[in-house]
């Protein structure tokens, strides 16, 4: 069993399923073969999962929320949608939504500049860094942090065009199930955002919590 904490996610093998617990504020990457399914769950609820996917044969092709919403004419993914790459090719199917549609495709991954913007001083865990670390653990060096799909994150545009993120309403055990349309490297970050901000409550009020991920 791989250690948890700073070393990475806890992992256990059950028959043909790999199960992982991603600790709060950390990330991990997984190989997902064409036809396999990846299930992402927020066990305690209200925890955003930044999700990234790369073509395992060419990591220069990655999942693009922008191209996905252009194809489906909506900025929130729905069960039955296909997630497209930046080359407009289907990478995954949104097979099952167990989180009542509370997902976002507009907000970029948090990084150190984002926390500085909110007045935080010094280092703060962030999704961009989590992605780099997770990909390096699998032997990949990336130069770009793509726009993620933010599962379990509630962001909406107001009539005046402003964006708000009300208190996260995703219940404990909320999940999504995705099916790979090609061989992929998928990465998931338990978003570390925990700063007190008006109208911008990304995660639970008590702070970030773990995510459960399985590949089968």
């Amino acid at each position: 069993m791989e250690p948890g904490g700073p070393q990475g996610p806890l992992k256990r093998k059950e028959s043909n399923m790999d199960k992982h617990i991603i600790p709060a504020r950390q990330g991990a990457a997984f190989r997902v073969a064409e036809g396999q399914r990846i299930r992402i769950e927020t066990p305690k609820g209200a925890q955003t999962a930044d999700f990234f996917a790369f073509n395992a044969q060419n990591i220069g092709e990655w999942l693009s929320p922008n191209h996905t919403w252009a194809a489906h004419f909506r900025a929130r993914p729905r069960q039955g949608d296909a997630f497209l790459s930046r080359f407009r090719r289907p990478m995954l199917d949104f097979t099952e939504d167990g989180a009542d549609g509370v997902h976002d495709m507009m907000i970029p991954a948090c990084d150190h500049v984002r926390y500085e913007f909110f007045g935080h001083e010094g280092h703060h865990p962030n999704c961009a860094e989590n992605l780099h670390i997770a990909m390096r653990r699998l032997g990949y060096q990336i130069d770009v942090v793509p726009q993620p799909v933010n599962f379990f994150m509630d962001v909406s545009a107001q009539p005046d065009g402003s964006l708000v993120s009300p208190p996260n309403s995703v219940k404990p055990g909320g999940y999504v199930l995705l099916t790979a349309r090609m061989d992929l490297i998928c990465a998931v970050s338990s978003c570390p955002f925990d700063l007190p901000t008006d109208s911008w409550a990304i995660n639970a009020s008590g702070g970030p919590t773990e995510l459960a991920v399985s590949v089968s």
Side-chain angles (χ1 to χ4, degrees):
M1 178 180 290
E2 296 177 0
Q7 300 302 316
L10 295 172
K11 177 181 178 181
R12 61 183 182 272
K13 184 83 169 181
E14 295 183 8
S15 64
N16 293 322
M17 179 181 293
D18 282 328
K19 292 188 175 183
H20 311 260
I21 298 297
I22 302 177
R25 301 178 176 85
Q26 296 187 34
F30 316 93
R31 301 182 190 278
V32 183
E34 180 180 357
Q36 282 192 304
R37 293 184 172 188
I38 180 168
R39 187 182 191 274
I40 306 166
E41 178 186 344
T42 169
K44 293 184 174 67
Q47 173 58 48
T48 294
D50 280 41
F51 177 78
F52 309 85
F54 300 83
N55 181 339
Q57 307 303 318
N58 171 21
I59 62 169
E61 181 176 18
W62 54 74
L63 188 160
S64 170
N66 309 70
H67 292 87
T68 298
W69 82 50
H72 299 298
F73 299 97
R74 52 178 170 265
R76 289 193 180 199
R78 294 181 183 173
Q79 182 174 310
D81 286 352
F83 290 105
L84 305 185
S85 78
R86 71 188 187 105
F87 301 146
R88 301 184 191 271
R89 299 201 305 157
M91 299 188 80
L92 301 114
D93 290 328
F94 195 171
T95 304
E96 191 172 327
D97 184 2
D100 300 321
V102 180
H103 312 295
D104 164 73
M105 294 196 293
M106 296 185 289
I107 304 302
C110 59
D111 54 22
H112 72 279
V113 177
R114 181 64 166 165
Y115 291 101
E116 289 176 354
F117 170 83
F118 281 113
H120 181 82
E121 296 182 1
H123 177 263
H124 192 290
N126 60 82
C127 290
E129 183 178 72
N130 285 348
L131 175 63
H132 279 287
I133 293 171
M135 293 297 286
R136 283 200 295 268
R137 283 179 175 152
L138 289 187
Y140 295 94
Q141 181 67 42
I142 58 172
D143 298 319
V144 175
V145 175
Q147 165 73 34
V149 176
N150 299 303
F151 291 119
F152 321 132
M153 179 175 173
D154 189 6
V155 173
S156 59
Q158 301 302 291
D160 64 357
S162 61
L163 297 176
V164 297
S165 180
N168 194 311
S169 63
V170 178
K171 298 177 182 178
Y175 70 93
V176 294
L177 183 66
L178 314 173
T179 303
R181 298 278 296 270
M182 62 174 69
D183 292 345
L184 299 171
I185 305 296
C186 296
V188 181
S189 173
S190 173
C191 182
F193 193 88
D194 57 2
L195 303 184
T197 55
D198 293 334
S199 301
W200 205 250
I202 302 301
N203 297 313
S205 59
T209 56
E210 74 274 12
L211 295 169
V213 177
S214 62
V215 179
S216 60

